[in-house]
Amino acid sequence: MGDIIVIQFSTLDGVVSDPDGRWGTGHGGWAFRYGQGPVSGDKFRLGARMEQGVQLYGRRTWEHFAQLWPKRDGGYASLMNAVPKRVATTTGIDAAAWSNSAPIDGDPVAWARDERTRRDVVVIGSLSLVRALAVADVIDEYRLITFPTIAGAGERLFAPGARADFRFKEVEAVEAGAFTVLRRDR
C-alpha cells in the first residue's frame, strides 16, 4: 500500500500559486528570487518513492511541465521524464507531449484512492486537485519547501475554514528555504 503525497513550494504566508511567475500575477515569481538551487533536483526527498510511484497532475500544471521537462537533461530530468504520469482532465491532453503520460478516466479522487492500494501517488502543484483530495480526506503527507518571503496575495495551500491535524515528520533547512514533511494523523 502506498501514500498520497502532495509536494508544493510555499511562502511563509502559505501562498502556493504562481511560484515561477508564469501566470503574471502581482505576487508571482517568489520561488525564483532565490535562484535555481532551491527548486532543482529532488529537494522533496522522495527518492525511491518517486521512482516506484506515479505522479498525478491537474491539466494546467501538466501542460506547463510538459513544455519544460522533456527539454531538460541530467539525472533528475531523466527521472521526471521516465516516471508514469497521470492527468486529471475533462478536456484531454496530448499524451505524446511528455513521455509516460496518460489522462485519468473518471473521478481523480477515486482513481487516487484506488491507485494508492498499489503504489505511492505523488501530486505535484495542481491546487484544485489537491483541494479535492483534501476534502475527500485522502492525503497522507504534505512535503513543503517554504521560502522566506510573504507574498501577501494568492491562493493558499489550505482552503479557508479547512481543519486538519498533522505531525511534523521532518523539518530542515534547504538552501534558501525550509523543507517540511507533515504527516496526517489518522
Side-chain angles (χ1 to χ4, degrees):
M1 181 150 170
D3 288 322
I4 296 177
I5 303 165
V6 170
I7 63 173
Q8 290 278 352
F9 294 129
S10 177
T11 64
L12 283 176
D13 55 344
V15 172
V16 294
S17 60
D18 205 11
D20 59 3
R22 74 176 179 254
W23 300 111
T25 64
H27 66 274
W30 45 266
F32 291 97
R33 291 182 193 143
Y34 302 94
Q36 295 290 324
V39 297
S40 64
D42 186 14
K43 292 292 191 275
F44 293 99
R45 311 252 196 298
L46 289 165
R49 297 179 102 171
M50 182 82 122
E51 296 166 12
Q52 297 163 6
V54 59
Q55 294 178 356
L56 176 60
Y57 293 91
R59 182 189 47 81
R60 288 186 347 157
T61 301
W62 179 88
E63 286 175 345
H64 179 63
F65 279 29
Q67 292 174 9
L68 299 175
W69 285 104
K71 298 173 188 169
R72 294 182 179 176
D73 55 9
Y76 191 70
S78 294
L79 176 61
M80 286 291 287
N81 291 322
V83 300
K85 293 166 275 295
R86 299 299 175 262
V87 185
T89 179
T90 57
T91 60
I93 59 165
D94 174 9
W98 195 11
S99 61
N100 301 311
S101 294
I104 292 172
D105 291 326
D107 176 30
V109 173
W111 179 89
R113 195 180 272 134
D114 179 61
E115 191 64 27
R116 94 164 151 196
T117 65
R118 291 179 288 284
R119 58 185 171 174
D120 291 318
V121 177
V122 178
V123 185
I124 301 174
S126 309
L127 186 57
S128 60
L129 177 60
V130 168
R131 287 190 173 163
L133 293 166
V135 166
D137 195 29
V138 296
I139 298 172
D140 299 296
E141 192 171 277
Y142 289 86
R143 290 177 173 240
L144 310 174
I145 295 187
T146 305
F147 290 81
T149 192
I150 304 284
E155 293 286 329
R156 286 166 172 72
L157 177 58
F158 299 104
R163 290 189 41 93
D165 294 314
F166 302 94
R167 63 182 162 85
F168 287 107
K169 185 175 174 189
E170 190 174 342
V171 179
E172 66 181 85
V174 177
E175 298 191 29
F179 172 62
T180 306
V181 177
L182 301 169
R183 186 85 185 157
R184 185 68 195 263
D185 283 335
R186 298 204 180 269

